Amino acid sequence: METTERLPHDLRHLTGPFDVVGDVHGCRVELVHLLRELGYEVADDGAAHPDGRTAVFVGDLVDRGPDTPGVLRLVMGMVREGAALCVRGNHDDKLARALRGRDVTVVHGLEKSLAQLARESAEFRAEVLEFLDALVPHYVLDGGDLVVAHAGLPERYHGVESAKSRALAVWGQSTGALDARGFPVRHPWFEEYSGTATVLYGHTPVEEPVWVNRTLCLDTGCAFGGALTAVRWPERDLVSVPARRVWYPR
């Protein structure tokens, strides 16, 4: 019988329940607090939920916060044991390129990740690079009802493997303008979204998560002194823990 190989992003056979976690950005203490609030049993190198729930990270595990290696160690362990999934964020992508020795501009918190990882073993840095390289730009889950992508993803790119879909999922679409802090202003794709799947994402910090057209941004600026937020799926319950302090001024 002929079989069709499933693409890496196609996990629609996984139906959850899921706990989708916003941008962690090196804030391990807050991540541990959030996971425990969600009911996970947490160790230094992993965590699992007694009811078999799966954590899904929207990317940007790294940069800005005080403990990028600790966050990576925890999430890598969860992914390895099947307790979590993670998509690629733009900060994860840039750190991977820096670890490969590519010429990248060391700004926006990358300098913290590189300094912290320099204190780790070469073996651990190699494990981190292998993990980051393996991250996919987006996942289609729960029979196609749920899409997780770091910067969000318009419906026509759901389940599509292409350079355009990868760029939109990881980096988003810039308007070409810069805000007062020098960050690119992103095109508000969610205002035009009319798809049937729910899209959960991060990338652009918001003060409070607000549902817009079946989309929800979960980046509540933990490293900037905001909060770390997750949403339970399919329950749609929001769970949030405050940042311990401002780790990286805006």
Side-chain angles (χ1 to χ4, degrees):
M1 183 174 64
E2 183 178 350
T3 60
T4 302
E5 184 177 357
R6 192 185 301 273
L7 291 171
H9 60 254
D10 184 1
L11 298 183
R12 68 190 70 207
H13 62 289
L14 299 183
T15 57
F18 301 108
D19 300 301
V20 185
V21 180
D23 303 39
V24 181
H25 277 303
C27 298
R28 183 186 183 278
V29 170
E30 289 87 346
L31 175 58
V32 169
H33 186 184
L34 179 63
L35 289 172
R36 287 176 174 158
E37 287 289 312
L38 291 165
Y40 288 77
E41 298 169 353
V42 184
D44 286 343
D45 58 352
H49 199 287
D51 297 332
R53 299 180 70 92
T54 301
V56 185
F57 294 90
V58 305
D60 276 7
L61 300 175
V62 307
D63 296 351
R64 296 182 178 149
D67 193 3
T68 281
V71 169
L72 288 167
R73 194 170 277 112
L74 175 54
V75 175
M76 286 162 58
M78 293 178 71
V79 172
R80 183 170 56 247
E81 296 301 319
L85 301 166
C86 183
V87 297
R88 179 189 297 259
N90 59 302
H91 284 258
D92 310 314
D93 183 78
K94 194 172 181 182
L95 175 59
R97 287 188 281 127
L99 291 175
R100 285 197 297 271
R102 301 282 178 84
D103 185 15
V104 299
T105 304
V106 182
V107 293
H108 301 317
L110 178 58
E111 70 281 0
K112 285 199 167 190
S113 289
L114 293 175
Q116 292 162 13
L117 286 167
R119 298 192 288 269
E120 300 288 334
S121 68
E123 291 76 13
F124 180 72
R125 289 194 296 274
E127 291 175 13
V128 166
L129 180 56
E130 181 180 9
F131 171 76
L132 296 178
D133 276 343
L135 295 179
V136 302
H138 80 283
Y139 278 125
V140 179
L141 301 160
D142 197 11
D145 289 341
L146 177 63
V147 171
V148 179
H150 175 65
L153 199 62
E155 184 182 31
R156 64 185 176 276
Y157 295 105
H158 294 179
V160 174
E161 172 56 32
S162 68
K164 180 69 171 180
S165 69
R166 290 193 298 271
L168 286 174
V170 175
W171 293 90
Q173 181 179 350
S174 175
T175 63
L178 299 177
D179 65 17
R181 297 169 294 141
F183 289 104
V185 176
R186 304 297 178 185
H187 176 72
W189 64 275
F190 47 86
E191 294 179 359
E192 306 162 351
Y193 183 75
S194 60
T196 57
T198 294
V199 182
L200 301 177
Y201 67 104
H203 191 48
T204 303
V206 295
E207 290 189 11
E208 297 287 343
V210 176
W211 287 99
V212 180
N213 299 332
R214 291 199 181 96
T215 77
L216 185 68
C217 179
L218 291 166
D219 182 0
T220 46
C222 188
F224 296 136
L228 186 60
T229 299
V231 62
R232 292 186 172 107
W233 178 271
E235 302 90 340
R236 299 178 183 243
D237 297 330
L238 286 166
V239 180
S240 185
V241 299
R244 294 183 67 196
R245 49 164 284 188
V246 174
W247 298 109
Y248 199 84
R250 289 178 184 252

